[in-house]
Amino acid sequence: MSTQVLAALISGVVAIFVAGGSAILTWAQIRRERNKWQIEVKMTYATELHKTRLSSYPEVFRILSELSHGGGNQVTAEKAGNVAERLNSWFYSAGGMCADATTRGAILGLRKSCERWGRTGLIPDELYGFRNIAIAFLRRDLDVGDLNESYDFDEDSTLLGRLRRDLATMDSKKGQKLGSRRFFGKWG
């Protein structure tokens, strides 16, 4: 084989390897850019969803406040019917569109319970259960609360009280005394 043919073959093989390497690097760059774009789109979507929830959820909390006995006003069947109508309007607004499926389900259950109360005059057993679940899910959608959040205001509801309880549990399980003074100083 002549040196010219051999040189042409070698340069051809090198060109194929260079072209293949360039194609692989270009493909990898395209994948990185695509992944970056997808992440940016998802982040933008999540941000806009959160903004929409922040602007529309206060209205549903105002509606739900009418079912509160803490406001000094008595909750009546007429008010419950009004709450059902307002929840229906909210349900078909931006708030209802951007709410999570479980949140929409809780709001829908509450709306049906309020409608029933307004129509029959009898408080449905599940009304306040739906209200509490709706509030918990609305808070979860906004990332401002935990579904296991306690409303018990005794000593264990504070962080310090929980820490003391957890340390006492650890003491009893391990069989060794960690001592509250060691962790809490003069406050233990």
Side-chain angles (χ1 to χ4, degrees):
M1 200 184 288
S2 74
T3 57
Q4 290 178 341
V5 172
L6 188 59
L9 285 174
I10 291 174
S11 66
V13 170
V14 168
I16 289 174
F17 279 121
V18 169
S22 294
I24 290 171
L25 290 175
T26 302
W27 178 252
Q29 180 65 25
I30 290 171
R31 288 184 58 124
R32 277 194 304 272
E33 290 297 322
R34 182 174 179 258
N35 287 340
K36 182 180 170 185
W37 175 78
Q38 285 178 332
I39 290 169
E40 288 175 4
V41 167
K42 287 178 184 179
M43 286 177 55
T44 302
Y45 173 77
T47 302
E48 290 302 317
L49 178 65
H50 198 72
K51 284 179 184 179
T52 303
R53 286 176 175 171
L54 282 172
S55 67
S56 61
Y57 278 23
E59 176 61 23
V60 79
F61 277 104
R62 281 189 286 279
I63 296 168
L64 295 178
S65 71
E66 293 184 24
L67 296 175
S68 173
H69 293 288
N73 296 327
Q74 184 165 348
V75 183
T76 63
E78 184 180 331
K79 274 189 179 179
N82 184 22
V83 165
E85 289 175 21
R86 292 177 62 201
L87 283 175
N88 189 60
S89 295
W90 182 86
F91 196 74
Y92 289 102
S93 71
M97 288 190 320
C98 72
D100 185 70
T102 53
T103 306
R104 284 192 312 272
I107 296 291
L108 183 61
L110 179 60
R111 184 190 75 187
K112 286 182 178 183
S113 295
C114 286
E115 281 176 344
R116 190 175 317 127
W117 185 11
R119 195 176 57 249
T120 65
L122 300 172
I123 301 174
D125 293 336
E126 69 277 0
L127 176 91
Y128 286 102
F130 273 125
R131 185 201 63 183
N132 294 341
I133 289 170
I135 290 170
F137 285 150
L138 287 162
R139 289 174 53 84
R140 184 208 54 194
D141 283 359
L142 293 173
D143 292 329
V144 294
D146 182 8
L147 290 178
N148 298 321
E149 193 172 38
S150 172
Y151 295 104
D152 187 14
F153 295 110
D154 65 1
E155 185 177 322
D156 276 353
S157 69
T158 65
L159 290 175
L160 187 58
R162 288 182 197 166
L163 183 57
R164 284 184 179 145
R165 185 191 66 228
D166 291 346
L167 287 173
T169 303
M170 279 180 19
D171 280 347
S172 66
K173 285 184 179 179
K174 288 186 177 181
Q176 63 180 350
K177 185 73 175 152
L178 292 176
S180 296
R181 285 258 182 236
R182 184 170 158 203
F183 291 97
F184 297 111
K186 65 180 180 180
W187 295 284

